[in-house]
DNA sequence: CCAAGATTGAGAATCATTATCATTACCAGT
DNA sequence: ACTGGTAATGATAATGATTCTCAATCTTGG
């Protein structure tokens, strides 16, 4: 199991546990931007908590890990909401995603929004952002030679980071 | 939906349908290699059928698609067995796997067993095998600079093939 | 305060993949 | 051919991450 952020007592945490008053809706305090009538911007308590968590986490982690991290900090955010925001952020390009060896999706807030790739520790999840001018060109060349169009790519590097190597 | 091999009446085919005499075990005919006592080799009817199917299929396809293709040819192979053999072949390095955008695993028998990558049509699944001397070196260099060890990589190219472009 | 619209979250639903486990087929001796 | 040991199979259940549903709750403009 990957070790990310604050580890908790190994809770399954598949669904929100019942029995609590259920605190819905957005928070009042530091509200954010707002647009036209009815459009609430990313200012809910849950969204902010998630943003903070993403900022704190040093590397890629799964939605469930993020959810666990939130709970461990006392934040009450539903797992479904975590997934929702992660998906939204991903579509907006604010965060990056990679796939675990087991197929699980891992999320991370990157320093830059320009196209880049990652060298990720398969033990702790910490990752280095790398730009690969060379591979971008290689990809285009190969695609062009084969006559393929609308080409995209997926380049991921995995290894063991210096800290984990010990 | 990707079009692979002979398309069938859109059967769900999640589990083998019951009501048939259930034909188990290995076939007698063209048995294959055998090793020490008790070790059967990869010569079962099901394994052969799967091998043939993999040979026929032009590109990457999912376990379920392969299973459907087998059934459409009259072969009776359980879905679990398909998964089992695909996994074994993958571990043996006989076939390659990539991940769908939805996370589904796709399999393909490649022409060569040496390390290479794929340029795959995201519409029909046909793929071109490409070798990337450049990216291999780039990967090693990047990993070394970051101090990572035991580094592996995942490079996949996706696009639309000339046939599908029309 | 009120109504409309957005957001949340608990649980159900999906769906690919794995694990069970009883049944069957194969093999080597006898 | 008969038999015991063992591998392989397949129907089904189980797993587990992600998505869907929808009622309850919040926010906000008026
Ligand atoms: Zn590490
Ligand atoms: Zn790139
Ligand atoms: Zn195509
Ligand atoms: Zn490579």
């Amino acid at each position: 199991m990957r070790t990310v952020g604050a580890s908790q007592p190994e809770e399954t945490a598949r669904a929100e546990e019942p029995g609590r008053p259920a605190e819905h809706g957005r928070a009042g305090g530091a509200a954010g931007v707002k647009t036209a009538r009815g459009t609430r911007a990313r200012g809910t308590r849950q969204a902010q908590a998630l943003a903070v968590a993403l900022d704190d986490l040093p590397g890629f982690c799964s939605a469930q890990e993020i959810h666990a991290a939130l709970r461990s900090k006392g934040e009450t955010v539903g797992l479904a909401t975590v997934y929702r925001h992660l998906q939204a952020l991903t579509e907006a390009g604010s965060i990056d995603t990679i796939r675990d060896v087991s197929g699980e999706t891992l999320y991370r807030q990157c320093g830059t929004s320009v196209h880049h790739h990652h060298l990720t520790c398969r033990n702790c999840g910490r990752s280095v952002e790398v730009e690969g001018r060379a591979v971008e060109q290689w990809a285009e060349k190969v695609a062009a030679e084969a006559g393929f169009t609308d080409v995209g790519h997926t380049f991921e590097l995995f290894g063991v980071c210096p800290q984990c190597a010990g």
Side-chain angles (χ1 to χ4, degrees), chain A residues 91-106:
Chain A
E91 286 171 2
S94 307
I95 61 179
D96 285 3
T97 66
I98 60 178
R99 289 319 245 280
D100 204 331
V101 280
S102 68
E104 204 170 349
T105 302
L106 308 180

Side-chain angles (χ1 to χ4, degrees), chain A residues 119-160:
Chain A
L119 169 56
T120 308
C121 177
R122 56 168 74 90
N123 182 245
C124 69
R126 259 188 291 263
S127 76
V128 179
E129 302 172 36
V130 297
E131 65 173 297
R133 190 93 39 141
V135 292
E136 311 297 338
Q137 296 177 335
W138 174 78
E140 284 187 37
K141 194 193 74 173
V142 167
E145 285 176 355
F148 276 55
T149 53
D150 191 21
V151 179
H153 59 262
T154 296
F155 289 170
E156 297 297 340
L157 301 176
F158 295 97
V160 180

